[in-house]
Amino acid sequence: MKEIKVLGTGCTKCKNTVAVIEKVAAEKNIAINLEKVEDPAQIMTYAVMSTPAVVVDGEVVHKGSVPSTDDVAAFL
Amino acid sequence: MFKVFTDFADWLVFGVFNLSAQTKLGDALHFFVEDVSKIFVLLVVMIYVIALLRASLNIEAVRDYLAGKHRGIGYVLGSSFGVITPFCSCSSIPVFLGFTSAGIPVGITMAFLITSPLINEVAILLLMSLLGWKFTLIYIFIGMTIGILGGFFLDSIKAERWLKSFAAKALQQGQQAQNDNKNSKHKKDVSLQKLTMKERHQFAKNEAKDIFLRVWKWVFIGVGLGAALHGFVPDGWLQQHLGAGQWWSVPAAVLLGIPLYSNATGVIPVMESLLNNGLPIGTTLAFCMSTVAASFPEFILLKQVMQWRLLAVFFVMLLVAFTLVGWVFNFLTPYL
């Protein structure tokens, strides 16, 4: 089970990011534990300055935009 | 170069809709079609080209560059980077914290954050094509001045006292780390991302789509407002009733701008139509800058890192600055 976190302060792009990840995970039948992180103090600990960002198992794999389905497939 | 849009509007309004140029409706609609088509094409082309050029400039590079700069030059640099850095208001908190935890003083960070929404490259080009270079220079000058002086002011009242505690702690640790670095004479390399042409194209395409989807409705509103004023409000009415003679029209315009929220690119068509219909330049600037830089969404975002006190100081400062800009320009207009 992959631990996935979407970092973002609650804008539309962050919601879209969550939706893309859920969609791709469902299509590929991958079990994930998806969490949305909106607390700025927590986001800061990942040293990310452009949101939305995606963290997989504690590692920042994407930041600054809504990932494409290909992007998501690559890091899932 | 822009004649093609006039021809297009001629064809659509007078040809297809069969309206006469002599009627108010025909005149207003012609204005609307010509301006909307022109702005849409300009926007998409300009956003794409600019994004292509600045795809490799990222916020991390800006932060590393600003860290450890002397305060005086820091405000100017912070504000300048605010102009050229791609920025979305939903990123303002991560950016604020990123800068802060690198030990950059609050004033420099805020110089960046104030200027960033007010001025961007797309807005500059759109301003130049719609309102001319003179007005564009004035706009850039004011935007940067507000950022620079605002940053300076926030530092001089020691605004960092009123950060939320976790942000204040991050700032302290950052400054500590900076001092350690200075002693060891170790300098961090500031490097830009290397991108292939294809990645640049992808980035630029996304940017064009993103920004266009965000601002098209503002273009409609702005130009629609302009068309309505153009066709139905008698020439000189605005000037007479909301002109430079009425001192209260500037603060009123600033207050009116707070609940409205748009980015700089979207507000420019509004600016064009207000100016063309005789609203004084100062009042127009005050209204538009308030719409762009002081808004409730921004307020709520900044609340996450600032205590009420700082938030209140910050907003009052912006409102006072915009009002002063409005008054000064209304006063100076006859001499320009």
Side-chain angles (χ1 to χ4, degrees):
Chain A
M1 181 101 109
K2 292 207 168 190
E3 291 287 332
I4 299 183
K5 287 179 180 153
V6 173
L7 315 179
T9 38
C11 55
T12 347
K13 282 188 187 177
C14 313
K15 282 173 205 133
N16 293 342
T17 303
V18 171
V20 171
I21 294 174
E22 276 172 347
K23 199 186 108 206
V24 175
E27 270 170 15
K28 298 178 72 177
N29 249 333
I30 300 173
I32 54 167
N33 190 5
L34 191 61
E35 187 193 345
K36 220 161 156 282
V37 179
E38 294 189 352
D39 174 29
Q42 267 196 59
I43 293 176
M44 191 174 66
T45 59
Y46 292 97
V48 161
M49 287 207 292
S50 38
T51 54
V54 183
V55 176
V56 177
D57 293 337
E59 200 183 330
V60 179
V61 292
H62 182 94
K63 64 189 171 183
S65 64
V66 180
S68 67
T69 44
D70 291 345
D71 291 338
V72 176
F75 59 60
L76 269 188
Chain B
M1 177 173 129
F2 295 142
K3 198 179 164 295
V4 53
F5 301 108
T6 318
D7 293 343
F8 172 69
D10 283 345
W11 168 78
L12 189 73
V13 178
F14 304 146
V16 178
F17 295 154
N18 208 11
L19 289 165
S20 154
Q22 311 309 324
T23 62
K24 277 182 179 169
L25 183 65
D27 189 32
L29 200 63
H30 184 273
F31 175 86
F32 184 79
V33 172
E34 182 184 345
D35 248 33
V36 166
S37 57
K38 181 167 75 188
I39 293 172
F40 277 1
V41 171
L42 277 172
L43 265 183
V44 172
V45 172
M46 287 188 311
I47 299 170
Y48 179 83
V49 171
I50 292 169
L52 213 54
L53 294 175
R54 65 139 169 72
S56 54
L57 178 72
N58 58 14
I59 191 83
E60 283 81 4
V62 172
R63 177 196 56 196
D64 294 346
Y65 186 78
L66 282 177
K69 282 280 178 298
H70 185 269
R71 280 181 193 236
I73 188 82
Y75 303 122
V76 178
L77 286 174
S79 174
S80 313
F81 276 117
V83 174
I84 55 172
T85 314
F87 181 76
C88 151
S89 69
C90 53
S91 275
S92 51
I93 292 310
V95 167
F96 183 94
L97 290 171
F99 277 25
T100 304
S101 54
I104 298 173
V106 175
I108 297 178
T109 305
M110 290 314 288
F112 176 89
L113 282 182
I114 293 170
T115 315
S116 207
L118 280 176
I119 316 175
N120 60 57
E121 357 42 70
V122 179
I124 291 175
L125 285 179
L126 202 58
L127 270 174
M128 287 223 272
S129 33
L130 295 180
L131 292 164
W133 62 269
K134 212 166 151 190
F135 186 85
T136 310
L137 284 182
I138 294 176
Y139 183 86
I140 296 174
F141 176 77
I142 302 172
M144 288 188 63
T145 307
I146 293 180
I148 292 166
L149 293 182
F152 174 75
F153 171 75
L154 289 171
D155 270 349
S156 59
I157 61 165
K158 299 202 169 47
E160 65 272 12
R161 283 179 292 173
W162 299 321
L163 290 176
K164 287 264 166 85
S165 58
F166 75 92
K169 213 165 108 196
L171 179 65
Q172 250 170 21
Q173 285 169 350
Q175 279 169 343
Q176 187 59 45
Q178 228 175 64
N179 284 336
D180 296 350
N181 271 345
K182 245 180 231 154
N183 295 338
S184 66
K185 297 263 176 224
H186 171 73
K187 249 198 138 188
K188 223 197 274 178
D189 280 334
V190 178
S191 61
L192 297 177
Q193 274 171 284
K194 295 245 178 337
L195 292 174
T196 64
M197 206 52 215
K198 202 179 150 214
E199 283 168 323
R200 278 178 187 268
H201 163 74
Q202 194 58 38
F203 174 80
K205 205 180 84 188
N206 285 344
E207 282 283 298
K209 199 175 121 198
D210 239 41
I211 300 180
F212 186 81
L213 288 177
R214 255 201 335 255
V215 305
W216 71 268
K217 48 186 181 293
W218 286 97
V219 175
F220 259 72
I221 293 171
V223 181
L225 181 71
L229 292 171
H230 181 83
F232 299 100
V233 176
D235 278 350
W237 187 90
L238 270 179
Q239 200 160 16
Q240 207 185 334
H241 294 273
L242 292 170
Q246 281 87 1
W247 66 269
W248 51 264
S249 62
V250 173
V254 171
L255 289 179
L256 192 64
I258 300 175
L260 300 175
Y261 180 50
S262 155
N263 78 357
T265 318
V267 89
I268 289 168
V270 180
M271 207 138 88
E272 185 202 15
S273 55
L274 291 175
L275 283 173
N276 287 344
N277 284 281
L279 195 69
I281 183 171
T283 317
T284 308
L285 278 172
F287 172 72
C288 293
M289 290 192 156
S290 166
T291 303
V292 171
S295 66
F296 290 125
E298 187 76 10
F299 198 81
I300 291 163
L301 280 175
L302 287 176
K303 178 75 189 75
Q304 296 178 317
V305 289
M306 294 177 176
Q307 296 173 23
W308 280 112
R309 205 160 181 182
L310 179 53
L311 205 55
V313 168
F314 175 62
F315 268 78
V316 169
M317 179 190 92
L318 283 185
L319 300 185
V320 170
F322 297 146
T323 307
L324 288 178
V325 164
W327 278 336
V328 167
F329 273 89
N330 283 350
F331 178 75
L332 287 180
T333 311
Y335 311 102
L336 283 176

